[in-house]
Amino acid sequence: MVSHSSPIPLYHQIASILRQQILDGVYPPEHQLAPENDLAKQFGVSRATVRQAVLELADAGLLARRHGRGTFVLDAARKPLRYRFHGDMHDLLTAASANAHTVRELSLQHRRELPPTVARDLHVADGRGTVVERLMDAADAPFAYHRNYLPDAYGRLLSRRRLKSVGVLHLLNESGVPLVRARQTILARAAEPDIADRLDVGHGGVVLYTERVVRTEDGTPVEIAHSWYPAGSYGYTVDFDIAAPMRTEAP
């Protein structure tokens, strides 16, 4: 039971108890957790305190809050899916196939109005282009939601059939588009309501958000991709070569 006199926050005490029960197999994978009101009565705390505990375990990848269905236990032995990059385009092109993903939802639209900043960065004068949206599953749970933006000249090289099994960059590469370099930014942030619903992380749940820009050799932007991942299901590793001489730069 929780201790109201302990300096450890109540929600963290509850999360620790539930975590141990999950690891011990008291709550097996796909077990539906009791409603927050019932847990609040069980632990003698407020519903808000229980919700904090559940969110902590969801961020740790032990629970999944599924919109309209409830909160379910994930496989405690499941490891976070990780990508490893060594800094070249080959790694970027092959990383998406490193884990077993399935496409749950897929949308491919041409001549769609682009967000103003995306249209500017893609050099699309009329503000319209191709938008690809995909909700990906891994181990029967939402793993990623991708939204790719392309000028229509490149977007029309894509097909719904092929996008069910390979990524946008694969198709562009197969079509002979000379992809040469990319820049990707990774941020941690609270999920917007529509993203939270798609990824079952609960409103306000933490996601890893990435932005990627891919260019040809002359610097022409080909694709801008925005992706969202449940924080507990995604890892990112970068290898650095420290054998080269260190450079000293003036402050």
Side-chain angles (χ1 to χ4, degrees):
M1 250 322 149
V2 299
S3 171
H4 289 262
S5 60
S6 171
I8 300 174
L10 291 172
Y11 78 88
H12 190 68
Q13 293 183 54
I14 295 170
S16 297
I17 294 171
L18 294 176
R19 178 184 289 107
Q20 194 59 53
Q21 290 174 332
I22 292 171
L23 296 176
D24 289 344
V26 176
Y27 296 135
E30 293 305 314
H31 172 85
Q32 184 172 6
L33 210 62
E36 291 177 355
N37 283 336
D38 293 351
L39 290 173
K41 292 178 181 178
Q42 176 185 335
F43 289 107
V45 298
S46 69
R47 181 177 176 181
T49 299
V50 168
R51 184 177 297 114
Q52 279 187 282
V54 169
L55 288 175
E56 179 176 316
L57 295 178
D59 290 343
L62 294 176
L63 294 177
R65 293 163 61 89
R66 295 171 181 167
H67 185 63
R69 296 175 56 195
T71 301
F72 294 81
V73 176
L74 295 177
D75 186 350
R78 190 182 67 180
K79 303 297 183 183
L81 301 175
R82 295 185 177 272
Y83 290 153
R84 178 177 291 273
F85 294 98
H86 297 276
D88 60 36
M89 282 301 298
H90 174 73
D91 282 321
L92 187 58
L93 287 168
T94 58
S97 61
N99 296 291
H101 301 164
T102 58
V103 179
R104 183 194 297 186
E105 297 177 10
L106 171 62
S107 170
L108 171 62
Q109 295 179 306
H110 305 298
R111 298 299 299 157
R112 179 168 157 182
E113 186 173 355
L114 304 177
T117 55
V118 170
R120 180 199 65 204
D121 293 343
L122 283 177
H123 304 170
V124 177
D126 65 358
R128 294 186 175 274
T130 296
V131 180
V132 179
E133 296 177 276
R134 290 179 300 159
L135 177 61
M136 313 294 292
D137 278 2
D140 297 322
F143 171 72
Y145 178 62
H146 302 297
R147 189 177 292 148
N148 307 75
Y149 303 98
L150 306 92
D152 276 329
Y154 297 113
R156 295 192 184 281
L157 299 174
L158 310 177
S159 73
R160 284 181 54 86
R161 181 182 64 83
R162 294 283 282 133
L163 283 169
K164 291 180 180 179
S165 56
V166 297
V168 170
L169 296 187
H170 279 277
L171 294 183
L172 295 177
N173 187 57
E174 289 178 356
S175 299
V177 179
L179 305 176
V180 173
R181 64 179 185 271
R183 168 169 289 184
Q184 182 159 285
T185 301
I186 303 176
L187 305 167
R189 59 171 52 174
E192 295 102 345
D194 64 321
I195 299 298
D197 289 343
R198 290 177 185 275
L199 295 179
D200 288 337
V201 297
H203 288 196
V206 177
V207 294
L208 288 182
Y209 168 70
T210 71
E211 296 180 358
R212 181 182 72 212
V213 182
V214 180
R215 301 177 185 275
T216 59
E217 188 171 12
D218 64 2
T220 301
V222 173
E223 178 234 31
I224 291 177
H226 296 171
S227 298
W228 295 262
Y229 303 83
S233 300
Y234 181 77
Y236 188 81
T237 302
V238 179
D239 289 337
F240 294 93
D241 184 356
I242 60 174
M246 297 290 289
R247 292 184 300 175
T248 302
E249 298 182 0

